[in-house]
């Protein structure tokens, strides 16, 4: 048998001959299977999300593969698809059609529902499911603002339901709620802080800023701060400024600063309640016009970027910021 290319096209490629004597039986087996008019075959169809394998094997068979009659082909689902039936297969009949256990086996799953501002409850056929994992079609999800959040612009909240569709998409989008800022929650508990009475939860936006003391490998409280967003705190610039500073944007590449929220004991090592959160500092933005040595603390303000977003609760919440300058507040005016 000559398997070389056409010599007129590729003159420099040598002629190759193969002695097929040893392979005649193998060739005949394939020949007898597919050359006879009596041989019935089925073609594996292309179906979204479906994977095929021979019975007793885990090796995947490509779509379009020719299958002879009376052969069983197992069906499974690709990653990201839900398998509706545990035991699914196809059987090639003599009429060259497939006998199958179901017309629809694999359903594309809907993506997880994740939100920092919403409480989301998912259920399938009346049973609770995990919203943070991919959802099976027909799963229903009910969304509502967390107790510490509200809809923007004073909108009235009406619990809305989402449905996971067979095409792997939710029929609607999650909405966003904004933190219910500046609110003190009830059921405060009396504590003692540095010999003075302090109510637990009366200032949920307050934070403590700690700096690593390299002499004793401990963290010392150096300043306070105020939460304005899940990952942002404002404080005083002089807490971070030092002589010879090269930039007013300070990147913190180590654990030299920590921010503690929901904490009432000054001792950094004491976690005094379940709401305490300790965060690393990523960047400190000092006001561009701040210069401690020259301006005597003018523009003494800094914004601190945290390494992670805070979890808001009745003990940890942001202060309100008048972003649009709606209110004309005079220096010395007291809040209500």
């Amino acid at each position: 048998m000559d398997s070389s290319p056409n010599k007129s096209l590729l003159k420099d490629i040598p002629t190759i001959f193969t002695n097929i004597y040893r392979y005649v039986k193998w060739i005949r087996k394939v020949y007898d299977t597919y050359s006879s008019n009596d041989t019935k075959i089925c073609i594996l169809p292309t179906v979204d999300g479906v994977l095929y394998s021979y019975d007793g094997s885990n090796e995947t068979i490509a779509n379009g593969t020719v299958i002879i009659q009376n052969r069983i082909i197992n069906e499974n689902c690709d990653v990201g698809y839900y398998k509706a039936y545990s035991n699914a297969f196809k059987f090639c009949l003599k009429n060259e059609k497939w006998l199958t256990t179901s017309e629809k086996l694999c359903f594309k799953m809907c993506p997880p529902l994740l939100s920092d501002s919403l409480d989301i409850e998912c259920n399938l056929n009346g049973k609770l499911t995990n919203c943070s994992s991919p959802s099976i079609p027909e799963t229903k999800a009910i969304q509502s603002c967390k107790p510490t959040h509200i809809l923007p612009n004073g909108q009235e909240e009406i619990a809305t339901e989402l449905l996971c569709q067979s095409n792997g998409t939710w029929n609607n989008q999650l909405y966003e709620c904004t933190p219910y800022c500046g609110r003190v929650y009830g059921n405060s508990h009396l504590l003692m802080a540095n010999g003075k009475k302090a109510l637990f939860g009366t200032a949920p936006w307050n934070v403590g800023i700690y700096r690593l003391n390299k002499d004793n490998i401990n963290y010392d409280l150096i300043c306070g701060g105020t939460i304005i967003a899940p990952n942002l705190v404002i404080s005083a610039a002089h807490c971070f400024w030092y002589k010879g500073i090269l930039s007013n944007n300070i990147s913190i590449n180590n654990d030299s600063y920590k921010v503690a929220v929901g904490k009432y004991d000054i001792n950094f090592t004491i976690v005094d309640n379940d709401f305490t959160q300790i965060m690393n500092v990523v960047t400190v933005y000092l006001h561009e016009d701040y210069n401690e040595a020259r301006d005597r603390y003018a523009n003494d303000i800094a914004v601190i970027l945290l390494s992670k977003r805070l979890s808001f609760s009745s003990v940890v919440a942001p202060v309100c910021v008048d972003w649009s300058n709606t209110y004309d507040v005079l220096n010395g005016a007291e809040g209500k």
Side-chain angles (χ1 to χ4, degrees):
M1 180 184 71
D2 184 359
S3 62
S4 62
N6 189 314
K7 294 183 177 60
S8 64
L9 298 177
L10 300 173
K11 297 180 180 180
D12 296 331
I13 296 180
T15 300
I16 300 174
F17 292 91
T18 301
N19 186 348
I20 67 170
Y21 175 77
R22 295 174 54 191
Y23 308 105
V24 169
K25 289 184 178 180
W26 176 78
I27 295 172
R28 183 56 185 264
K29 182 179 178 181
V30 178
Y31 176 85
D32 289 343
T33 300
Y34 295 107
S35 65
S36 173
N37 291 331
D38 296 330
T39 302
K40 305 301 181 183
I41 61 172
C42 300
I43 307 297
L44 281 179
T46 299
V47 181
D48 189 33
V50 176
L51 301 176
Y52 302 109
S53 63
Y54 289 116
D55 192 32
S57 172
N58 293 324
E59 186 175 349
T60 301
I61 310 172
N63 299 333
T65 298
V66 175
I67 306 297
I68 60 174
Q69 66 184 31
N70 300 328
R71 194 73 188 265
I72 296 176
I73 301 297
N74 290 329
E75 296 178 293
N76 283 294
C77 296
D78 204 350
V79 176
Y81 288 80
Y82 166 69
K83 190 176 181 181
Y85 304 93
S86 57
N87 297 316
F89 64 89
K90 286 182 177 296
F91 183 79
C92 183
L93 299 172
K94 292 182 179 180
N95 60 0
E96 298 187 334
K97 293 185 178 180
W98 289 105
L99 172 67
T100 183
T101 52
S102 65
E103 292 186 3
K104 181 69 174 177
L105 174 67
C106 300
F107 294 86
K108 200 165 187 179
M109 301 182 74
C110 293
L113 295 174
L114 304 172
S115 173
D116 292 330
S117 65
L118 291 169
D119 284 329
I120 310 170
E121 183 179 279
C122 293
N123 72 84
L124 178 65
N125 299 326
K127 294 183 179 180
L128 292 178
T129 60
N130 186 359
C131 297
S132 60
S133 298
S135 292
I136 297 171
E138 300 303 320
T139 296
K140 297 177 181 179
I142 298 177
Q143 56 179 330
S144 59
C145 291
K146 289 181 179 292
T148 53
H149 290 66
I150 57 173
L151 285 176
N153 303 320
Q155 301 175 60
E156 182 179 354
E157 183 178 13
I158 300 175
T160 57
E161 185 178 272
L162 279 70
L163 177 67
C164 177
Q165 303 173 114
S166 59
N167 62 358
T169 62
W170 295 97
N171 69 332
N172 212 331
Q173 294 182 334
L174 294 176
Y175 53 76
E176 290 189 12
C177 303
T178 57
Y180 200 175
C181 64
R183 180 179 179 182
V184 175
Y185 296 85
N187 300 323
S188 298
H189 304 288
L190 185 64
L191 300 173
M192 296 299 293
N194 293 332
K196 297 181 180 180
K197 293 181 179 180
L199 288 176
F200 185 74
T202 53
W205 40 82
N206 282 358
V207 309
I209 300 172
Y210 291 78
R211 182 169 55 206
L212 179 64
N213 187 329
K214 296 182 180 180
D215 294 333
N216 57 18
I217 316 300
N218 200 356
Y219 284 91
D220 298 331
L221 180 68
I222 59 167
C223 282
T226 303
I227 302 169
I228 61 171
N231 61 341
L232 294 175
V233 168
I234 56 174
S235 185
H238 74 262
C239 301
F240 306 94
W241 190 91
Y242 56 89
K243 189 175 182 179
I245 190 171
L246 299 177
S247 171
N248 280 27
N249 295 344
I250 307 171
S251 295
I252 310 298
N253 299 319
N254 49 37
D255 294 337
S256 55
Y257 290 95
K258 301 275 189 180
V259 170
V261 302
K263 181 174 171 58
Y264 287 81
D265 195 299
I266 193 173
N267 190 329
F268 180 79
T269 61
I270 295 177
V271 178
D272 47 12
N273 64 81
D274 293 336
F275 299 98
T276 298
Q277 300 170 62
I278 307 295
M279 297 289 178
N280 286 330
V281 175
V282 175
T283 308
V284 178
Y285 297 94
L286 308 184
H287 192 280
E288 56 268 23
D289 294 328
Y290 176 76
N291 188 313
E292 179 178 298
R294 182 185 62 200
D295 295 329
R296 297 185 179 182
Y297 299 102
N299 305 302
D300 188 10
I301 191 167
V303 178
I304 303 165
L305 175 62
L306 304 179
S307 59
K308 296 180 180 179
R309 296 171 68 88
L310 297 169
S311 295
F312 288 155
S313 64
S314 59
V315 179
V316 178
V319 73
C320 295
V321 179
D322 184 17
W323 300 110
S324 57
N325 293 322
T326 302
Y327 303 98
D328 185 14
V329 181
L330 300 176
N331 279 340
E334 295 184 1
K336 296 182 180 180

